[in-house]
């Protein structure tokens, strides 16, 4: 049966083949073509957009990107982006992560091909391949919308991603992520993306996960290798760095906008993370551009 999280309106599907394990996170936008956000955000998994019609505009890192029909956009983990709401265009999107299904995968395994491409993507990546959408994503959406069994949906998603990887082979690098609890990842990240600018408490996430605070802290440590406070600070600093590079908003205002109530504390955390001051970071990054 399809794994459904009603509070956040997403499904988790899983596939396993030839040494590769893939988990797909399908939100309502997958079947309705709605994909936008009202705030800068990032995910710790891959996100992929298929543009069907019209123009789709995004800000990704420091780039203003316009996608056309047939374009496929791959957003790697931890890449800050913002998607403009536009009712005149049709786009499909979903998130995914992958890992080795077996301990020892052969060089020619599907995981090897998959990892060779997707693990090498450090910035957003665009390809134009309308045939992939029409051959695999469109029928997957139709089956998903008609509530057909998962085994009629996830093989099509895997084929789409595999064909993208094979047609756009890049030299292999390490760095794949391997998490088992996709539900918790999405719930935590969606909460942080929507609320990083507000006062946050561990109990807020614990309530969403239906766990105790102690259990939630353990889950965060396992999935993100840091504490709740560390995770919140990472998110705030990620958005702050983007704003320092790409805007002329005063640093005091940026500190407030990303959720630091105390500017001195913001400066201390920024220096600890970047070994630099916000002022010098902004000056250096703008000089490079």
């Amino acid at each position: 049966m399809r794994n459904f999280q009603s509070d956040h309106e997403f499904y988790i599907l899983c596939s396993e083949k030839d040494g590769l394990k893939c988990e797909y996170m399908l939100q309502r936008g997958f079947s309705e073509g709605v994909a936008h956000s009202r705030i800068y955000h990032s995910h710790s998994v891959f996100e992929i957009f298929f543009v069907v019609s019209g123009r789709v505009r995004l800000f990704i890192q420091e780039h203003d990107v316009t996608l056309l029909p047939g374009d496929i956009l791959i957003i790697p983990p931890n890449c800050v982006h913002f998607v403009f709401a536009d009712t005149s265009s049709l786009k499909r999107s979903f998130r995914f992560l992958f890992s080795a299904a077996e301990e020892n995968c052969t060089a020619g395994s599907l995981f090897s091909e998959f990892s060779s491409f997707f693990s090498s993507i450090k910035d957003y990546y665009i390809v134009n391949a309308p045939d992939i959408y029409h051959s695999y994503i469109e029928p997957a959406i139709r089956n998903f919308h008609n509530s057909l069994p998962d085994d009629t949906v996830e093989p099509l998603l895997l084929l789409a991603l595999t064909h993208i990887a094979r047609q756009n082979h890049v030299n292999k690098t390490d760095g794949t992520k391997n998490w088992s609890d996709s539900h918790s990842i999405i719930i935590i990240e969606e909460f942080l993306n929507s609320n990083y600018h507000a006062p946050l408490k561990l109990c807020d996430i614990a309530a969403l996960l239906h766990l105790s605070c102690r259990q939630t802290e353990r889950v965060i440590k396992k999935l993100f290798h840091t504490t709740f406070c560390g995770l919140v600070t990472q998110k705030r600093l990620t958005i702050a760095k983007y704003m320092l590079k790409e805007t002329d908003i005063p640093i005091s205002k940026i500190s407030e906008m990303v959720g630091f109530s105390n500017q001195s504390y913001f400066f201390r955390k920024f220096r600890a993370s970047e070994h630099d001051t916000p002022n010098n970071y902004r000056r250096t990054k703008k000089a490079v551009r």
Side-chain angles (χ1 to χ4, degrees):
M1 177 176 285
R2 200 163 287 167
N3 201 349
F4 177 55
Q5 173 63 38
S6 59
D7 292 344
H8 297 266
E9 299 177 337
F10 63 82
Y11 297 84
I12 303 293
L13 302 184
C14 230
S15 65
E16 198 168 310
K17 182 180 179 183
D18 190 23
L20 172 70
K21 180 181 179 182
C22 236
E23 292 183 68
Y24 315 96
M25 296 138 227
L26 312 183
Q27 293 181 289
R28 175 176 288 183
F30 182 65
S31 58
E32 295 185 357
V34 177
H36 66 270
S37 68
R38 295 181 297 276
I39 196 168
Y40 289 111
H41 65 287
S42 62
H43 312 289
S44 61
V45 297
F46 286 90
E47 187 167 27
I48 188 162
F49 280 86
F50 299 85
V51 181
V52 184
S53 63
R55 292 170 179 259
V56 177
R57 186 181 173 211
L58 308 91
F59 280 137
I60 312 176
Q61 303 289 54
E62 70 270 25
H63 306 286
D64 189 341
V65 178
T66 298
L67 304 174
L68 301 175
D71 282 344
I72 298 172
L73 170 69
I74 302 166
I75 303 176
N78 305 313
C79 187
V80 178
H81 57 286
F82 176 101
V83 187
F84 286 90
D86 180 6
T87 56
S88 66
S89 62
L90 179 61
K91 55 267 186 188
R92 313 289 191 183
S93 70
F94 64 91
R95 299 176 210 162
F96 68 96
L97 60 86
F98 67 94
S99 59
E102 303 165 8
E103 233 176 84
N104 299 309
C105 294
T106 61
S109 70
L110 185 56
F111 172 76
S112 177
E113 292 183 77
F114 217 81
S115 179
S116 181
F117 173 65
F118 286 109
S119 294
S120 65
I121 299 177
K122 304 305 177 187
D123 199 355
Y124 74 91
Y125 193 91
I126 300 173
V127 296
N128 186 273
D131 55 313
I132 290 178
Y133 175 79
H134 293 302
S135 298
Y136 306 116
I137 302 302
E138 197 168 44
I141 289 169
R142 188 164 53 247
N143 291 350
F144 184 83
H145 184 72
N146 292 330
S147 299
L148 295 180
D150 295 345
D151 58 10
T152 69
V153 178
E154 52 87 2
L156 292 166
L157 301 180
L158 179 61
L159 281 169
L161 295 176
T162 301
H163 277 235
I164 292 170
R166 287 175 174 169
Q167 290 178 17
N168 299 274
H169 181 73
V170 181
N171 289 334
K172 181 177 180 180
T173 63
D174 295 325
T176 58
K177 296 190 183 336
N178 182 5
W179 288 299
S180 59
D181 196 341
S182 299
H183 271 146
S184 294
I185 291 172
I186 294 182
I187 290 171
I188 293 168
E189 290 196 329
E190 288 299 295
F191 177 80
L192 290 179
N193 280 328
S194 299
N195 299 284
Y196 63 77
H197 53 284
L200 299 178
K201 296 180 181 178
L202 178 63
C203 59
D204 296 329
I205 293 179
L208 293 173
L209 296 175
H210 305 292
L211 297 173
S212 69
C213 287
R214 182 173 294 181
Q215 289 172 315
T216 301
E217 189 71 79
R218 285 200 295 265
V219 167
I220 290 173
K221 187 73 173 178
K222 172 191 171 187
L223 299 180
F224 299 97
H225 310 293
T226 187
T227 63
F228 168 72
C229 290
L231 188 62
V232 172
T233 299
Q234 284 177 11
K235 175 65 70 175
R236 289 171 172 169
L237 290 177
T238 295
I239 305 301
K241 286 189 293 181
Y242 177 86
M243 296 176 77
L244 286 169
K245 286 191 299 181
E246 304 306 321
T247 76
D248 294 318
I249 298 172
I251 293 174
S252 58
K253 185 64 175 176
I254 290 176
S255 170
E256 179 185 342
M257 289 172 69
V258 299
F260 288 97
S261 57
N262 184 303
Q263 188 175 334
S264 297
Y265 184 66
F266 168 63
F267 271 72
R268 287 202 305 274
K269 287 297 182 181
F270 193 95
R271 183 185 284 276
S273 172
E274 301 302 314
H275 306 290
D276 204 352
T277 66
N279 288 283
N280 197 53
Y281 180 90
R282 166 174 272 175
R283 186 164 50 249
T284 302
K285 294 299 181 182
K286 284 186 177 291
V288 170
R289 293 175 57 195

